[in-house]
Amino acid sequence: MDFFEAVKKRYSYRGEFSEQEIPRKDLIKIVQSGLDAPSGKNLQTTEFVIVDDINILSKIKIILPDSKVLQTCKALIICIIDSEPEKIYHGTHFQIEDCSAAVENILLAITAMNYASVWLDGVLRIDGRANKIGEIIGLPKSKKVQIILPVGIPTETTIRREKKTFNERVGFNIYNFE
Amino acid sequence: MDFFEAVKKRYSYRGEFSEQEIPRKDLIKIVQSGLDAPSGKNLQTTEFVIVDDINILSKIKIILPDSKVLQTCKALIICIIDSEPEKIYHGTHFQIEDCSAAVENILLAITAMNYASVWLDGVLRIDGRANKIGEIIGLPKSKKVQIILPVGIPTETTIRREKKTFNERVGFNIYNFE
């Protein structure tokens, strides 16, 4: 798929997925796109666990019982960063940036291959959900689950949320939004 | 350009750019890709100022005298977030994630249109550089420069840094890197 077509088609799918399995070769291609994203000082801090084992998936599904995408997904991409990222550059780290750039590549790859997904992030920060998922996949305490991406073939046409216009968010040469 | 080709071709260019101007229609298409990225609660928090005025560019260039890409770029995309992001979801905000996802889309769009760029981020956090750039473009105190992306046509073949292998960063079903 053309790059700009993938960008336009990508959206946050929150409906049910079909029963169809996702071949591992597709999951590998999708996550490889994440590995190709840039990272601060090229440290490539984000790691991934792809869950496609039905028993492990079913344990994770218990944690978010109301999420249609999670409940019906055939595969889940778990994005992992350090629990306490080392400050690598003048008192700062880039692990959130690294992970976000990788996730965006992955979401576009999912779109380009006619699957769908949604960036699940804040919802993991309630009730220790991220930690619970980490326990299921054997994550050491030094690592944490930052983002999860359920993957599948969409079965519903869900509403794409409105975007602001170009002129509401972009200016030339001078900031003049306020 | 095919999506996966753009992902593979994107890299952090740090050489000199050609003298060729970049048409505004190209800059608009590039930044529109950033607007199409996902954002936490769809709040679309990142704003952009595209600098292509030679006088304003020359003032910004003084701030990073050793950066070949900045010194020779014909256009600069400035990515802006709130100075003190409001916590919008259970005590957290997503402005770094929003900005990073938008920047990744922009970097891929730049690649797909045969330009080059590099994500300049940490280097702005030294000596008040981000603030100095903010002052030049008239940014209010409530906003800050987070990332800048110099854009141009590359004139050099620069080294692409090594990436880890798939198996070094990705596992199936269980985390077993340690």
Side-chain angles (χ1 to χ4, degrees), chain B residues 84-113:
Chain B
E84 292 180 20
E86 186 189 351
K87 288 172 177 158
I88 54 149
Y89 189 86
H90 294 270
T92 192
H93 70 84
F94 305 104
Q95 293 206 10
I96 301 293
E97 288 87 340
D98 297 352
C99 186
S100 301
V103 163
E104 181 58 8
N105 273 17
I106 287 172
L107 290 174
L108 291 171
I110 286 169
T111 306
M113 296 173 78

Side-chain angles (χ1 to χ4, degrees), chain B residues 110-166:
Chain B
I110 286 169
T111 306
M113 296 173 78
N114 295 309
Y115 296 111
S117 187
V118 58
W119 180 323
L120 295 179
D121 185 326
V123 76
L124 304 179
R125 306 187 196 184
I126 303 165
D127 298 335
R129 289 170 182 160
N131 286 344
K132 288 175 190 167
I133 295 170
E135 280 169 24
I136 293 165
I137 60 166
L139 212 57
K141 288 268 179 286
S142 61
K143 300 284 176 181
K144 71 170 174 180
V145 173
Q146 184 68 13
I147 296 164
I148 61 173
L149 306 169
V151 188
I153 299 169
T155 62
E156 304 175 46
T157 304
T158 61
I159 292 163
R160 294 172 191 222
R161 289 191 283 187
E162 287 269 319
K163 291 274 192 189
K164 293 178 189 171
T165 64
F166 189 87

Side-chain angles (χ1 to χ4, degrees), chain A residues 1-4 6-8 10 12 24 27-29 31-38 41-53 56 80 89-90 92-94 96-97 100-101 104-105 107-109 112-113 119 121-123 125-126 136-140 142-143 146 161-166 168-175 177-178, chain B residues 1-4 6-8 10 12 24 27-29 31-38 41-53 56 80 89-90 92-94 96-97 100-101 104-105 107-109 112-113 119 121-123 125-126 136-140 142-143 146 161-166 168-175 177-178:
Chain A
M1 186 184 290
D2 175 71
F3 166 74
F4 291 100
V7 166
K8 282 290 172 204
R10 186 218 56 77
S12 299
R24 274 215 174 168
L27 292 168
I28 289 168
K29 187 171 182 183
V31 176
Q32 179 60 52
S33 292
L35 304 189
D36 291 329
K41 297 182 77 112
N42 194 36
L43 286 173
Q44 305 167 66
T45 58
T46 315
E47 294 173 322
F48 303 89
V49 170
I50 302 169
V51 180
D52 60 358
D53 178 291
I56 296 176
I80 294 157
Y89 189 85
H90 294 268
T92 192
H93 70 84
F94 305 103
I96 301 293
E97 288 87 341
S100 302
E104 181 58 8
N105 273 16
L107 290 173
L108 292 172
M113 295 174 78
W119 181 323
D121 186 324
V123 76
R125 306 187 196 185
I126 304 166
I136 293 165
I137 61 167
L139 212 55
S142 60
K143 299 284 176 181
Q146 184 68 13
R161 289 192 285 186
E162 287 270 320
K163 291 273 192 191
K164 293 178 190 172
T165 64
F166 189 88
E168 284 176 293
R169 295 179 65 192
V170 187
F172 279 91
N173 293 303
I174 287 293
Y175 185 90
F177 297 109
E178 288 185 337
Chain B
M1 187 183 290
D2 176 70
F3 166 74
F4 291 100
V7 165
K8 282 290 174 205
R10 186 217 56 78
S12 299
R24 274 213 174 171
L27 293 167
I28 289 168
K29 187 171 182 182
V31 176
Q32 179 61 50
S33 292
L35 304 188
D36 290 330
K41 297 182 77 114
N42 194 37
L43 287 174
Q44 305 166 66
T45 56
T46 315
E47 294 173 322
F48 302 89
V49 170
I50 302 169
V51 180
D52 60 358
D53 178 292
I56 297 176
I80 295 158
Y89 189 86
H90 294 270
T92 192
H93 70 84
F94 305 104
I96 301 293
E97 288 87 340
S100 301
E104 181 58 8
N105 273 17
L107 290 174
L108 291 171
M113 296 173 78
W119 180 323
D121 185 326
V123 76
R125 306 187 196 184
I126 303 165
I136 293 165
I137 60 166
L139 212 57
S142 61
K143 300 284 176 181
Q146 184 68 13
R161 289 191 283 187
E162 287 269 319
K163 291 274 192 189
K164 293 178 189 171
T165 64
F166 189 87
E168 285 177 292
R169 296 179 65 192
V170 188
F172 280 90
N173 293 304
I174 287 293
Y175 184 91
F177 298 108
E178 290 183 337

